[in-house]
Amino acid sequence: MNTEEKFTVPSTQFVENPEGYVLKASLPGIAKEDTELHVEGRTLVLKAKSHYQNPAGFRQVAAEFEHESYAMSADLPEMADVGTLTAKLENGLLTVTIKKRPETQPKKIEIL
């Protein structure tokens, strides 16, 4: 019997803007308490698992979907300031925002 857990890689989008980076991951049916997000060095690691229980008094007679376990990692650019990382999970979409390190930001120099 194979007891190894299988993971699905979520659909993602990773973009850069002038202020930093935004990673979006699709996690349908996942609650924030079932989601783990951490940084190892310069790698962002995401793990999530769906949990569903039938409401009290109901008995499941058929199922067309399985509980999903998601996992992915993303290497962060050198300019990313991991200390500014924020994450929000809303309506099945995880949005992770990371600012660029201040010293990597363009600086306008005033000419006297």
Side-chain angles (χ1 to χ4, degrees), residues 8-103:
T8 300
V9 177
S11 298
T12 60
Q13 178 186 45
F14 195 24
V15 297
E16 177 180 9
N17 61 44
E19 294 81 36
Y21 306 92
V22 178
L23 172 78
K24 293 187 179 189
S26 178
L27 300 173
I30 303 292
K32 66 180 176 180
E33 55 270 6
D34 297 323
T35 305
E36 176 188 329
L37 186 66
H38 64 274
V39 176
E40 296 175 6
R42 299 216 56 82
T43 302
L44 181 68
V45 178
L46 167 67
K47 292 182 183 177
K49 186 171 186 167
S50 65
H51 294 282
Y52 177 80
Q53 290 184 335
N54 291 319
F58 286 78
R59 178 180 62 85
Q60 182 172 311
V61 294
E64 294 183 4
F65 64 91
E66 295 182 30
H67 296 291
E68 292 284 345
S69 293
Y70 295 95
M72 62 143 308
S73 63
D75 291 332
L76 299 174
E78 285 293 321
M79 294 190 316
D81 182 356
V82 295
T84 66
L85 191 145
T86 60
K88 179 179 178 182
L89 180 60
E90 188 172 64
N91 297 324
L93 184 64
L94 175 69
T95 303
V96 179
T97 304
I98 311 156
K99 293 182 181 178
K100 290 181 180 175
R101 292 191 335 255
E103 66 271 16

